[in-house]
Amino acid sequence: MGMSSLIGRRGDRRVIQWGRVFGRAVVVVLAALILFLLAACVLVASTEVPLSQMWWGDHLFVLLLAFLALAVLVCVGVPLLRRLLLPPDRLPDLDAPRGGERSESGADRPKAWGGLVAVVAVAAFAVLVAILYLEENERGERVWTQYKQQQEARGEHLDPAALVPPLVPDDLNFASTPYLAPLFDFVPGTQQRRDPNAPEPTKTLAPQFDAASARLRPDKVARSNSWISAGIDLPAWYTAFLKGTNATESEDEATKAFRKRYGLAPRETAATAVQPPTINPPVPTNAPTRAEAAAGVLDALAESGPVLEELRAASLRPHSRFNLRYDVDDPASILLPHLSALKRVCQVLQLRASAELTLGRTDQAFEDVNFIFRVTDATRDDPILISHLVRIGELQLGLQPLAEGLARHQWSEPQLRAFEERLHRFDFLADARQALQGERVFFGGAFIDYVRRSPHRWRLLEEFSHLTAEDRDARYTWQSTLLAAAPRGWYYLEKVNYSRMFQDYFLPAIDVPGHRVSPDACRRSEEHLAAILNNPAPVVVLRHQFFSGFLLPALSRAAQRSAFGQTGADTAALACALERYHLAHGQFPESLDALMPEIVSRLPHDVINGQPLKYRRTADGQYLLYSVGWNETDDGGVLGLSKSGESIDQKMGDWVWRLPAR
């Protein structure tokens, strides 16, 4: 087959016979492939170095593609280009007869050649695809294995089993108490409850509290503290309880006494359904005093007394290990019912402690605040980021009554010392690193493995998105196709890049030994993620950054929230030390240095910049204590507020501790 048969003329017009050009290219590719494989075999046989350790072995597929492209360019492209540059009169006339009339069999010969070319082309394409998959699979598994070994040599664990908390005996485990254990009473090997018709155990804690919190309408007061509100509005809670729904037949005596005392009607039951409905008396228009409201709130919360006492006793156990199903195929499906249950316990305790302080029951309030702190640590060993973030919220619930007692100088010196010691034990930076490591392994590597193994992986993105059905169809068409068609090795390379993102961008932002968090490092990680998301889809796929762009953006604020929580614990502990100084001297000090060594042996530093926390005594005899915050700028103790002014913007302004009004 000469080159002159691939291009000719008809009249004055050049004609490229693309079928023959394609056939020539296929022949060249197959010949070049054979030569490349022979050369590779000779090189491998000529050395004892494994193929995986050779430079060209690590780039085998790229070199193959380059060799094939060069062969096609030299053997087909260049000669074809030269013919295209010739004048038409020097090209063969395709309409001219060749050697007389063609026989019938000769007329059919081009069709036969065309069919052969098609078969060869399909076979060549299949061979190329097979080589692509084999090379990607071999390289992916090899690169992941090498990376995993390197990380484990440095003390990093990438195996999910290594992060699962060890089992502990029930009598030493806070999570095994009768109130919490049923949360994980699943059918063995599943996450299905043994009795699907059984009531949710945690809903029995404080039904009146749940109903009142849904109706609560507290007065809006400007924020002056980054972690707590101006104060719990006990009269608003009192009103919400008075407007409560009707009682149940099974309510305890304390609840019945509360309803009788405040004129609340029982629920209409089957026995009373035919009777005229009883209407709740109107809520008194004259606002109750704070003490009256506190007494009413405590009466309403009496329903939770037995459960809280059970949990209080269990919280003194040395361990807390919840029986999460860490072994499920899909890590994202691990159920976490204990988080909402524990947070509800802290919310009830917060309200009760505030009411107790109002009535002067300081010892009971002290026990409840410490109880909140113990509950906060109940999920410390969970290697899951959401558990860590919920703990920070639980800490803030405990700081509210602590600050209210500080503002009214109600805590004794031993109580303040105990609070201070307990707050210093919180290390949300070390806990954040552990939680991020769990996120890296469970919800990164293990999740990618789950997608790789799933027979329905093309539909998984829809399951894990929060979009409408129409948006999912529009957004995840090519991604779903990719997940379905990608070779196994592509997923291993995705795991490597996802884990490297943690290693290079997320984990370095938290300096555990130095007790620091770097906002600048966090901003770099956000910029890197933004660059990934802005890349064209083919670039993301070829660079194996698909899952990094899909999963990591949700984690970008973890370090910031951990720094915020740690600063809350540090400033609250320092506030206890300042109150101890006030008890001894009748006033707050002019500077924090006056606390040493009489009150404290060392002062906590700002986790943002490593400098001392900012402090000054105010004209009213109080004080202002703050961190420079996430913007790393001293704004003079000015809070960063949202546009509505009702919530804290952690990225703006300073992180401020100021005592609430008395």
Side-chain angles (χ1 to χ4, degrees), residues 28-313:
V28 171
V29 166
L30 292 177
L33 178 61
I34 293 173
L35 289 175
F36 185 90
L37 293 178
L38 288 175
C41 291
V42 171
L43 288 173
V44 170
S46 64
T47 179
E48 296 181 357
V49 178
L51 177 65
S52 60
Q53 297 182 15
M54 299 180 185
W55 176 88
W56 65 271
D58 196 38
H59 302 81
L60 187 64
F61 182 71
V62 175
L63 293 175
L64 173 60
L65 289 181
F67 184 76
L68 295 180
L70 180 63
V72 171
L73 179 64
V74 172
C75 298
V76 179
V78 173
L80 186 60
L81 180 61
R82 291 180 58 190
R83 291 290 180 176
L84 285 173
L85 297 177
L86 291 175
D89 59 342
R90 296 185 58 183
L91 298 174
D93 188 357
L94 300 179
D95 295 327
R98 298 183 184 179
E101 293 293 324
R102 297 182 182 179
S103 65
E104 184 177 21
S105 60
D108 293 339
R109 191 173 294 119
K111 296 181 180 179
W113 273 103
L116 178 60
V117 168
V119 171
V120 172
V122 172
F125 180 76
V127 170
L128 288 175
V129 172
I131 292 175
L132 167 65
Y133 271 66
L134 290 174
E135 192 273 343
E136 188 81 348
N137 289 340
E138 188 277 335
R139 185 167 68 97
E141 291 191 55
R142 171 173 47 81
V143 171
W144 168 250
T145 300
Q146 292 175 347
Y147 177 79
K148 183 178 179 181
Q149 291 172 348
Q150 293 170 357
Q151 294 302 306
E152 290 178 346
R154 298 173 53 185
E156 301 283 353
H157 297 291
L158 301 182
D159 185 0
L163 300 179
V164 175
L167 296 173
V168 296
D170 286 350
D171 59 339
L172 302 178
N173 187 9
F174 167 71
S176 296
T177 188
Y179 176 72
L180 296 173
L183 294 173
F184 297 94
D185 186 21
F186 298 139
V187 175
T190 72
Q191 293 191 102
Q192 299 176 356
R193 296 179 61 185
R194 291 180 186 270
D195 184 3
N197 297 320
E200 178 66 40
T202 57
K203 290 184 178 179
T204 62
L205 173 64
Q208 291 187 66
F209 172 86
D210 295 338
S213 62
R215 294 185 301 274
L216 185 65
R217 298 293 183 270
D219 293 335
K220 295 181 180 180
V221 181
R223 293 287 296 265
S224 61
N225 186 305
S226 296
W227 297 273
I228 64 171
S229 66
I232 294 179
D233 192 344
L234 291 177
W237 274 100
Y238 172 85
T239 301
F241 279 118
L242 287 180
K243 292 180 178 178
T245 56
N246 294 320
T248 62
E249 294 179 312
S250 59
E251 65 186 5
D252 58 24
E253 292 301 321
T255 304
K256 291 179 180 179
F258 170 79
R259 292 187 175 279
K260 181 177 180 181
R261 177 177 178 181
Y262 294 106
L264 298 177
R267 186 188 64 173
E268 184 180 21
T269 63
T272 61
V274 297
Q275 300 175 0
T278 302
I279 301 176
N280 289 343
V283 178
T285 56
N286 54 323
T289 65
R290 185 172 176 84
E292 291 172 341
V297 166
L298 289 179
D299 282 344
L301 294 180
E303 62 180 351
S304 62
V307 172
L308 292 179
E309 287 308 308
E310 171 199 320
L311 293 174
R312 186 192 302 277

